[in-house]
């Protein structure tokens, strides 16, 4: 049965930034596909709720509270998975972000912080996880969450877009180094209806232009990204490495214009 290839039965996954939004959706989707999940973020209450949903799906959950803006804390998650469940098969580097700002008010410290939070944390967890994957299961899958603005140019995204573009190419480079035993892929979401877009979701005047600027005429749901993650993590995606799946409704330009005037 082709659907069996999308199962993750017996696998163990680590998902960063798993307290809400895309990370929470991915963690729950993995559990529904048969995986045990280590969920990590900074807020215990958020993680407890996600862990409860994982357990409701019949799988085990391990909660690790950590400040994932610090690579030295992120890299410890791989060992937490092995300690809790005896193996590690899948890593999702979901944590990341940066506040938008005009280019001339984006400092070098802002750019550095974006690179640390989006790229260095992914590298820290990946390099910690791969030896454990090879030791305990012989291979695995790494999934990095980038962004449509890592390839599309829009005002205000100098720090965030640069960091996500770096993460996308890091994905290709890591895939080359880690083949054939560890696959490394990425997902580049467009505008997804998470808490980051709460104001947009509640305001038709903001939401309607964004939907109109999206070829599929809707904004994404977290489950759209979670389904792509299941595909990349599972045997169904077993012939993909070094690829970036664009889960963005068909965007060819950003669908949100920030109010940044001409010089």
């Amino acid at each position: 049965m082709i659907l069996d290839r999308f199962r993750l039965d017996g696998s163990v996954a680590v998902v960063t930034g798993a307290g809400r939004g895309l990370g929470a959706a991915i963690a729950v989707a993995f559990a529904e596909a048969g995986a045990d999940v280590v969920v990590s973020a900074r807020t215990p209450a958020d993680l407890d709720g996600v862990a409860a949903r994982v357990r409701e799906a019949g799988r085990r959950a391990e909660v690790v509270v950590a400040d994932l803006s610090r690579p030295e804390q992120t890299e410890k998650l791989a060992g937490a998975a092995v300690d809790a469940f005896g193996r590690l098969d899948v890593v999702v580097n979901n944590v990341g972000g940066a506040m938008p700002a005009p280019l001339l008010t984006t400092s070098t410290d802002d750019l550095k912080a974006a690179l640390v939070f989006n790229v260095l944390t992914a590298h820290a967890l990946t390099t910690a996880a791969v030896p454990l994957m090879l030791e305990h299961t012989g291979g695995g899958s790494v999934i990095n969450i980038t962004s449509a603005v890592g390839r599309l140019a829009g005002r205000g995204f100098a720090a965030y877009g640069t960091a996500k573009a770096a993460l996308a190419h890091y994905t290709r480079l890591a895939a080359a180094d880690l083949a054939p035993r560890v696959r490394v892929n990425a997902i580049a979401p467009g505008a997804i209806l998470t808490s980051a877009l709460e104001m947009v979701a509640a305001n038709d005047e903001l939401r309607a232009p964004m939907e109109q600027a999206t070829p599929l005429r809707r904004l994404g749901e977290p489950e759209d990204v979670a389904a792509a993650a299941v595909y990349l993590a599972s045997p169904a995606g077993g012939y993909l490495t070094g690829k970036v799946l664009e889960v963005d409704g068909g965007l060819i330009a950003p669908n949100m214009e920030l109010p940044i005037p001409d010089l």
Side-chain angles (χ1 to χ4, degrees):
M1 292 288 290
I2 189 64
L3 291 180
D4 292 340
R5 294 179 63 85
F6 291 84
R7 297 293 306 173
L8 293 170
D9 296 308
S11 296
V12 171
V14 171
V15 181
T16 66
R20 59 181 66 186
L22 297 184
I26 291 168
V28 173
F30 280 0
E32 292 174 346
D36 298 320
V37 189
V38 174
V39 292
S40 186
R42 285 181 290 189
T43 307
D46 290 342
L47 289 173
D48 289 342
V50 175
R53 293 171 64 193
V54 168
R55 295 177 184 122
E56 287 170 3
R59 303 308 305 177
R60 296 176 295 174
E62 179 77 4
V63 170
V64 178
V65 178
D67 180 359
L68 300 177
S69 66
R70 300 173 63 183
E72 68 275 15
Q73 293 194 21
T74 306
E75 68 182 2
K76 296 178 181 179
L77 297 178
V82 173
D83 290 343
F85 303 127
R87 61 185 291 158
L88 177 58
D89 303 88
V90 182
V91 162
V92 179
N93 289 306
N94 168 66
V95 71
M99 292 299 294
L103 180 71
L104 295 183
T105 61
T106 298
S107 68
T108 55
D109 284 342
D110 294 332
L111 192 57
K112 179 180 178 180
L115 289 167
V116 168
F117 198 27
N118 292 274
V119 183
L120 272 64
T121 53
H123 180 65
L125 180 52
T126 299
T127 53
V130 167
L132 297 177
M133 289 176 169
L134 297 178
E135 177 184 354
H136 294 279
T137 64
S141 173
V142 176
I143 302 168
N144 298 319
I145 305 300
T146 65
S147 170
V149 296
R151 66 181 178 88
L152 302 174
R155 288 181 174 179
F157 296 110
Y160 182 66
T162 298
K164 290 303 190 183
L167 183 58
H169 198 52
Y170 172 86
T171 297
R172 302 180 188 100
L173 296 169
D177 274 11
L178 301 179
R181 295 173 68 184
V182 176
R183 297 184 298 108
V184 186
N185 294 290
I187 301 170
I192 308 296
L193 289 168
T194 65
S195 57
L197 288 183
E198 282 178 345
M199 187 166 58
V200 169
N203 188 327
D204 287 342
E205 291 185 4
L206 295 175
R207 180 170 177 161
M210 292 181 66
E211 292 175 332
Q212 188 61 31
T214 305
L216 290 184
R217 301 294 188 264
R218 70 172 178 90
L219 303 184
E221 299 288 345
E223 289 73 20
D224 293 321
V225 177
V230 170
Y231 170 59
L232 291 176
S234 71
Y239 200 50
L240 278 77
T241 197
K243 303 305 177 186
V244 179
L245 293 186
E246 297 168 2
V247 184
D248 60 13
L251 291 179
I252 57 174
N255 58 1
M256 175 185 288
E257 292 189 12
L258 298 179
I260 297 176
D262 293 348
L263 292 180

